[in-house]
Amino acid sequence: MDYIIYTPSARRLKKEILGSSSTVTDETSWKCVKTEANDNVLVYTLDHWAEKGFITLKANLPHNELRVRFCYWDSCEDRNGDDERFMLGRFTEHLLVHYSYFVDRVVIE
């Protein structure tokens, strides 16, 4: 599933999401972690979801798009189609509550 956020500044939105205090404090259900590949990703920390997978953010600068993708951790053995939809739904909620001023539109292909 391709989840695309159209925004005036993909680079700035990515930086805000991964580095803002509203994302990485203990008061929210999201935290930014660094993977073994040295990438910063978002992990949904409630219930068992942190052990399932993570959200990647890739800025596509020529088109002012921020591409969002759900990925499973290699160690996750319990995988199903609902995980991606749940995580992207929760991410959408977080995006619109905290960063709606950066969002022109969201497209899911």
Side-chain angles (χ1 to χ4, degrees), residues 34-95:
K34 194 170 285 279
T35 66
E36 290 177 5
N38 211 30
D39 293 322
N40 288 320
V41 298
L42 284 181
V43 175
Y44 189 69
T45 60
L46 299 182
D47 299 326
H48 67 287
W49 297 102
E51 297 174 12
K52 285 247 181 187
F54 55 93
I55 297 279
T56 63
L57 304 170
K58 304 270 188 222
N60 186 354
L61 300 179
H63 302 288
N64 279 330
E65 299 171 351
L66 186 61
R67 292 190 169 259
V68 179
R69 179 160 286 166
F70 170 74
C71 302
Y72 285 102
W73 294 115
D74 290 339
S75 60
C76 179
E77 295 178 6
D78 178 27
R79 302 175 184 208
N80 66 56
D82 294 335
D83 297 325
E84 179 178 27
R85 291 185 291 276
F86 176 85
M87 293 290 279
L88 292 176
R90 291 295 183 190
F91 176 78
T92 301
E93 174 186 40
H94 184 72
L95 176 74

Side-chain angles (χ1 to χ4, degrees), residues 19-37:
S20 80
S21 59
S22 65
T23 301
V24 297
T25 64
D26 292 334
E27 299 171 10
T28 69
S29 51
W30 291 97
K31 72 175 180 177
C32 179
V33 298
K34 194 170 285 279
T35 66
E36 290 177 5

